[in-house]
Amino acid sequence: EEKLFFNFKKKIENNINNNKFSIIAEMKQRSPSAGTIINGMNYNPVEIAKIYNNSKATCLSVLTEESYFKGNMIHIRMIKEEGIKLPILCKDFFVHKWQLYAAKSFGADAILIILAGIGEKLANELYEEALKLNMSVIIEVHTIEEAEYALRFKDALIGINNRNLKTLKTDIQTTYEINNALRNNSRPLICESGINSKKMLLEVERKTKIKTFLIGESLLKNLEKNPIFSVL
């Protein structure tokens, strides 16, 4: 069956060019930092996607990693088959090319490459392969050094994760420091993790001009009528 694919990166770039915010709304059943967010019996990715879509989310991020997040690639297919027309990021720890082919076959429009987790050679291979598959790529960084290295991936979006992978604590200073280090670069930056209110989102935008945010936990805990969406 023919799946509809959407250009994840272009949608975000169009919003930036039109001075609009983008929210990449994430769904996950649990996480190592938060524990169980939504009880397994109540976790319905299609229903969550519909709420996000009705709230005018820009894109979706679907956790497909099984052991830590209780995710599954089938969730992407279910959302696509429901006809929800939002670009979908497949969120997993990508360490093998076959994972890219799987993500694509289930309907993913974008993938995430976490620089902290893999070597430079593998990062390059995954990036090149994803582009061949017509998928958008987010290179996720946690340090200034990683961010400067990420600029080599010319066609990628750069995601700044405010969560320290070792302590699992979030610190918005990470976004401020990396944004300052990349000041002279025109690449769209994404602020990930730790945004828990509209006020905080607006403050980050005021200090950095970043307009793209990946938000999960604080949306999931208040699915209906989340005030964060009112910036869109």
Side-chain angles (χ1 to χ4, degrees):
E1 166 188 339
E2 189 57 40
K3 275 177 216 61
L4 288 174
F5 288 99
F6 305 103
N7 193 324
F8 187 98
K9 180 183 171 213
K10 194 165 191 175
K11 190 164 185 193
I12 286 168
E13 286 180 335
N14 285 346
N15 277 356
I16 290 170
N17 293 338
N18 291 309
N19 211 24
K20 286 183 182 164
F21 283 96
S22 296
I23 290 178
I24 304 165
E26 182 158 279
M27 60 185 78
K28 53 194 169 191
Q29 191 176 324
R30 72 176 310 280
S31 76
S33 56
T36 298
I37 302 167
I38 296 179
N39 185 319
M41 300 298 284
N42 303 326
Y43 184 67
N44 185 328
V46 171
E47 288 309 310
I48 295 170
K50 284 180 180 170
I51 292 169
Y52 284 164
N53 190 35
N54 292 340
S55 303
K56 302 196 167 37
T58 312
C59 300
L60 302 177
S61 167
V62 179
L63 247 306
T64 59
E65 197 281 329
E66 297 190 24
S67 35
Y68 296 101
F69 294 89
K70 292 259 189 296
N72 198 307
M73 286 212 187
I74 201 95
H75 297 161
I76 296 177
R77 179 178 288 165
M78 287 158 62
I79 293 165
K80 286 270 165 131
E81 285 176 352
E82 196 63 34
I84 292 165
K85 294 180 169 55
L86 293 179
I88 298 179
L89 166 70
C90 175
K91 195 109 173 278
D92 202 335
F93 301 117
F94 285 92
V95 291
H96 294 290
K97 279 188 190 175
W98 64 260
Q99 290 173 287
L100 300 182
Y101 309 135
K104 180 78 177 180
S105 73
F106 278 92
D109 302 291
I111 61 124
L112 182 82
I113 296 174
I114 303 173
L115 280 189
I118 56 177
E120 292 174 6
K121 182 172 177 286
L122 180 56
N124 286 321
E125 284 175 11
L126 293 173
Y127 168 74
E128 295 292 344
E129 201 60 37
L131 293 187
K132 282 183 197 157
L133 291 168
N134 274 333
M135 296 167 94
S136 299
V137 177
I138 298 176
I139 303 283
E140 182 174 289
V141 302
H142 302 78
T143 65
I144 289 173
E145 190 187 21
E146 285 176 3
E148 287 171 343
Y149 186 80
L151 293 173
R152 300 178 188 200
F153 301 92
K154 294 274 185 278
D155 288 312
L157 297 158
I158 295 177
I160 302 171
N161 193 343
N162 298 307
R163 191 178 301 287
N164 181 312
L165 293 184
K166 295 186 181 71
T167 64
L168 296 183
K169 292 203 165 33
T170 58
D171 183 356
I172 201 69
Q173 287 306 320
T174 309
T175 286
Y176 296 144
E177 286 166 14
I178 290 176
N179 180 71
N180 277 343
L182 300 187
R183 249 198 321 269
N184 302 324
N185 150 66
S186 58
R187 193 80 61 88
L189 300 177
I190 302 169
C191 175
E192 306 174 4
S193 301
I195 298 289
N196 53 28
S197 66
K198 178 182 173 181
K199 182 171 170 255
M200 189 176 184
L201 180 148
L202 292 171
E203 185 174 325
V204 172
E205 193 268 342
R206 186 173 57 79
K207 290 182 178 173
T208 64
K209 305 284 185 280
I210 290 174
K211 289 235 178 256
T212 311
F213 295 83
L214 188 147
I215 308 175
E217 209 177 302
S218 55
L219 294 182
L220 291 165
K221 286 182 172 164
N222 177 16
L223 267 173
E224 305 281 349
K225 307 263 181 294
N226 196 302
I228 291 177
F229 281 121
S230 66
V231 301
L232 295 172

